[in-house]
């Protein structure tokens, strides 16, 4: 850490405003995201009672003098096995995150207290990083997406039924592989407050647009 630049990101407040979470990230090579290191931390709003839930400390061959950052794909960072990504409170005590734990990378559900209680969500079903969140009306339902498939350039959008461990596809959306890191368009799904719809950003029609999708028949019924 001595030679690194440090910052925090992905700051989130739990539903009762009693705890915050954030990612502490640091690196010696700012221009190459695959060299970022990560810690998932929670705290009281005044900064007291810090709790370290996860640390993705790992070897960094990318720091070698002959490493070429241009050889790294646009989405290599998001798909890294060391990435701690997109943490979000499920409720006042639980945090969903894509990241490594016990030498495996999954959607993990962390318990803020007691620390050390970690559960895998969707083992062998949810196998890629995405932008996940739970329905504000029923945390049984989680919405998420994927980054583009390297061959088809399709991003998948899906619901996940945490009660039955069922992944329900909602659609696949093309994104031009010519888009770079700065101007790409992730789906970033998010819920309507009543849990009946989700909205996404997409560029599959050739322009960046906002779309809404009705999921009420699934989320307000008994599932698919």
């Amino acid at each position: 850490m001595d030679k690194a630049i440090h910052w925090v990101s992905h700051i989130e407040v739990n539903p009762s405003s009693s705890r915050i979470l954030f990612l502490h990230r640091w690196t010696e090579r700012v221009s190459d995201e695959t060299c970022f290191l990560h810690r998932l931390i929670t705290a009281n709003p005044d900064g007291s009672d810090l709790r370290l839930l996860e640390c993705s400390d790992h070897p960094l061959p990318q720091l070698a003098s002959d490493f070429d950052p241009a050889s790294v794909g646009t989405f290599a960072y998001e798909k890294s096995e060391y990435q701690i990504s997109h943490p979000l409170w499920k409720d006042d005590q639980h945090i969903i995150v894509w990241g490594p734990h016990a030498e495996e990378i999954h959607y993990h559900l962390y318990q803020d207290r007691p620390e050390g209680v970690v559960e895998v969500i969707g083992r062998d079903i949810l196998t890629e990083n995405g932008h996940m969140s739970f329905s504000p009306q029923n945390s049984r339902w989680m919405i998420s997406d994927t980054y583009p498939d390297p061959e088809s350039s399709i991003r998948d959008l899906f619901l996940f039924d945490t009660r039955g461990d069922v992944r329900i596809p909602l659609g696949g959306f093309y994104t031009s592989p010519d888009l770079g890191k700065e101007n790409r368009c992730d789906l970033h799904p998010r819920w309507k407050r009543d849990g009946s719809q989700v909205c996404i950003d997409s560029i599959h029609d050739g322009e960046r647009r906002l779309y809404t999708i009705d999921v009420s028949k699934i989320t307000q019924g008994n599932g698919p």
Side-chain angles (χ1 to χ4, degrees):
M1 291 185 176
D2 290 345
K3 299 178 182 179
I5 292 175
H6 300 254
W7 68 99
V8 298
S9 68
H10 293 78
I11 303 165
E12 297 282 345
V13 183
N14 73 355
S16 67
S17 300
S18 63
R19 298 284 289 172
I20 62 172
L21 69 79
F22 60 91
L23 293 179
H24 166 216
R25 288 177 169 168
W26 69 100
T27 186
E28 294 182 32
R29 191 198 292 263
V30 178
S31 60
D32 181 12
E33 290 178 317
T34 59
C35 289
F36 292 179
L37 294 165
H38 318 258
R39 296 197 299 181
L40 175 63
I41 298 173
T42 62
N44 290 335
D46 64 359
S48 63
D49 193 15
L50 285 169
R51 302 172 192 168
L52 175 61
L53 301 187
E54 193 63 70
C55 182
S56 72
D57 196 6
H58 56 85
L60 291 175
Q62 299 95 330
L63 291 180
S65 59
D66 60 349
F67 177 75
D68 179 13
S71 66
V72 179
T74 302
F75 299 98
Y77 172 61
E78 280 77 12
K79 297 184 179 185
S80 166
E81 61 187 297
Y82 304 115
Q83 163 82 292
I84 297 179
S85 181
H86 308 122
L88 192 77
W89 292 98
K90 179 184 180 183
D91 51 42
D92 279 345
Q93 285 294 325
H94 296 90
I95 296 164
I96 185 76
V97 65
W98 172 264
H101 178 76
E103 299 182 355
E104 293 184 349
I105 188 161
H106 299 284
Y107 279 87
H108 283 112
L109 190 68
Y110 288 79
Q111 189 165 309
D112 189 30
R113 183 169 293 266
E115 299 102 313
V117 179
V118 185
E119 175 188 354
V120 175
I121 302 297
R123 184 186 292 275
D124 301 325
I125 302 172
L126 306 180
T127 58
E128 297 181 60
N129 189 6
H131 306 92
M132 63 291 197
S133 61
F134 292 92
S135 167
Q137 296 298 320
N138 187 347
S139 61
R140 168 186 175 181
W141 300 103
M142 186 178 80
I143 189 76
S144 195
D145 61 351
T146 66
Y147 288 93
D149 179 85
E151 296 183 1
S152 67
S153 296
I154 295 293
R155 301 157 300 163
D156 292 326
L157 179 71
F158 60 90
L159 282 171
F160 184 71
D161 181 358
T162 61
R163 184 182 299 173
D165 275 356
V166 177
R167 175 171 166 159
I168 304 164
L170 298 178
F173 302 86
Y174 177 79
T175 182
S176 172
D178 297 330
L179 295 177
K181 185 76 175 179
E182 290 77 16
N183 61 355
R184 73 176 202 239
C185 183
D186 298 337
L187 293 180
H188 287 139
R190 50 246 184 235
W191 291 91
K192 188 177 180 180
R193 292 181 181 179
D194 66 3
S196 65
Q197 298 182 57
V198 294
C199 66
I200 60 171
D201 306 307
S202 188
I203 200 167
H204 62 274
D205 284 332
E207 296 180 357
R208 182 183 293 263
R209 294 175 177 173
L210 180 68
Y211 299 84
T212 60
I213 301 170
D214 191 331
V215 296
S216 60
K217 290 184 179 180
I218 301 173
T219 61
Q220 296 177 9
N222 293 316

